[in-house]
Amino acid sequence: MRSGAAARPWAGALLALPLLLFLCGLVLWPMGRLAAAAFAGPGAPALRAVLAAGRYRTALGHSLLLSAAAALAAVALSLVPAWILARERFRGRDLLRTAISLPLTFSGVLVGFLMIVLLGRIGAVPKLLELLTGRPFLASLAYTPAGLFLAYLYFEVPRAVVTLESAFRRFPWELDAAARTLGAGPFARLTRVVLPLAAPALRSTLAITFSASMGSFGVALLLSRRFSVAPLEVYTELTGFLNDAVAGALCLVLAVMTLAVDRLLGGGRE
Amino acid sequence: MRIPPRRIARQTGIAWTAATALALVAPILITIWGAFSHSEFYGQRSEGAPVQGTADLFRYVLGIWGEALLHSAALVAAVVPLALLLGAPAAYAFRRRPFPGARWLESAALAPLALPGIALAVALIETAGGAPRFLLLVAGHLAYTVPLVLKTVGNALSGFDPALESAAKALGAPPVETTRRIVLPLLVPSLVLAALLVFAVSWGEFNVSFLLATPLLQTFPAALYSTYTTNSFPVAAAATIVFLLPVVPALLAIQALGGEEFHRGLPA
């Protein structure tokens, strides 16, 4: 096996050649051109416009804030379901797991629509509240920043549960048991054993949910009214103002921010 | 009667999990109900008289979005085999025939997962805007689906003993024979899983497709956006069901093969 691999190092390279050509031609080259265009001109005016105070930077800030908040909230909400699905046996567990991972395949527009169904102008929740209290509370919440946050949670919670569940399954519980045998209390075990061991999984879950939100476009396209996020601003620049240079620079900054946080959190994609 | 705290914790946890599942499924159930009920609960139909009854509703949806449905089907039909052809041999090379730069190539191939779809769509338009849009759509979808093939097939290759291949070789089998009779049969489950994942992702992809779509070449998710912004609730609900019909069986099959963890990292 080893000798075979050593004797024909070109065999592996040959097998991966189509992938290499595809990546260079249709991912790296276009992204490189995008970066070059953003830096084009004396003083890189497009990039400067994006980074200067104003609507572009506001949109980037909104994206960052919304994605970070939704990622943290999604991980917090998902710890218990992931734990239960990984550790407990009970009737209906498979059904619950299927229900929770169903939205993994939904595109952003679909999530946006579901949020309108729940919390739109005549959504199900306000309608129900009207039946109960006589007033349609929470109507049109879907179109506010809070609604956008809930929509992001909707597609992030399944991602977080699935990621954390597979981490909890591989968790070395015998170390926790050993700490208990050695006399450690619940708090000491949580802070000195469980959390340090779970930290990589938590970080990679945050990375996954964060980058899913940073790139999400369909949800905001359908729901956002005044609260702009970066992908939406790219779309407006491109189709509304035909401002390719600024759209490209915005894309570049968005991509760099997303990839940087993803790396910072440890890649998240083993 | 005292209930042990361990049991209370367990029951609370299960209730929490059930509540999460319910919150995620409720809007889908309401949507399905919306397509099959004819109450005016959700307001007037904007389409006028022709839509009367469920069959009529779906006929109407297929009438306006039939072409988008065909485009999505053609796109998926191109993306699934191409993703497997690009990804599977490379995954084999990364695990069994490492070459200089293989690690770099693998992480470059996985990087698009953290790359906003709209950025890649803009880059593709700026670089190759003159190329047929269908080809750009295929390229954009491949960038997000090849990583799935690399992960599933790579994972399967890590799971079986390379000694099986060495044994075949030692017994005199030529490489082609080893691949055909040893490697491929062992990889079949992971290839099926990869194909299902690529299908599910490509069918629902919006971020890349929406910008690359043209008025004459819309994918079904892009058509969904039009429907959500212009049509009445029953029509939008029916279109959503048409979208979900192929995805849900694929998802159930993915779950049966234990593969849901492979597409957790995808952009939404």
Side-chain angles (χ1 to χ4, degrees), chain B residues 15-41:
Chain B
W16 184 325
T17 311
T20 307
L22 189 68
L24 292 171
V25 169
I28 305 168
L29 296 180
I30 297 171
T31 303
I32 294 172
W33 169 79
F36 289 102
S37 74
H38 303 289
S39 80
E40 294 300 300
F41 188 53

Side-chain angles (χ1 to χ4, degrees), chain A residues 4-49:
Chain A
R8 287 194 317 252
W10 49 266
L14 205 63
L15 285 171
L17 187 64
L19 180 67
L20 178 71
L21 292 178
F22 166 76
L23 277 178
C24 289
L26 291 164
V27 179
L28 297 177
W29 170 243
M31 287 307 293
R33 289 271 309 255
L34 194 73
F39 283 102
L47 198 61
R48 208 184 280 258

Side-chain angles (χ1 to χ4, degrees), chain A residues 98 101 107 127 154 159 270, chain B residues 10 24 41 204 255 264 266:
Chain A
T98 306
S101 47
S107 52
K127 209 73 192 170
Y154 184 92
R159 283 169 171 74
E270 61 271 34
Chain B
R10 184 186 129 100
L24 292 171
F41 188 53
Q255 289 226 304
R264 65 199 180 189
L266 280 171

Side-chain angles (χ1 to χ4, degrees), chain A residues 122-144:
Chain A
I122 11 181
V125 173
K127 209 73 192 170
L128 192 70
L129 290 175
E130 190 176 17
L131 288 180
L132 292 176
T133 66
R135 296 201 38 200
F137 290 108
L138 303 181
S140 294
L141 186 76
Y143 306 107
T144 66

Side-chain angles (χ1 to χ4, degrees), chain B residues 173-249:
Chain B
V176 177
E177 194 78 348
T178 313
T179 308
R180 198 171 65 82
R181 304 201 29 192
I182 309 288
V183 180
L184 279 180
L186 283 167
L187 286 186
V188 163
S190 69
L191 290 172
V192 171
L193 178 60
L196 285 166
L197 286 166
V198 172
F199 166 77
V201 168
S202 183
W203 181 257
E205 210 291 327
F206 180 79
N207 297 347
V208 176
S209 314
F210 186 67
L211 264 194
L212 291 179
T214 64
L216 291 177
L217 181 64
Q218 275 200 325
T219 65
F220 198 64
L224 278 182
Y225 173 70
S226 311
T227 267
Y228 293 156
T229 46
T230 54
N231 289 116
S232 65
F233 177 70
V235 170
T240 306
I241 291 174
V242 172
F243 171 82
L244 287 177
L245 271 180
V247 179
V248 173

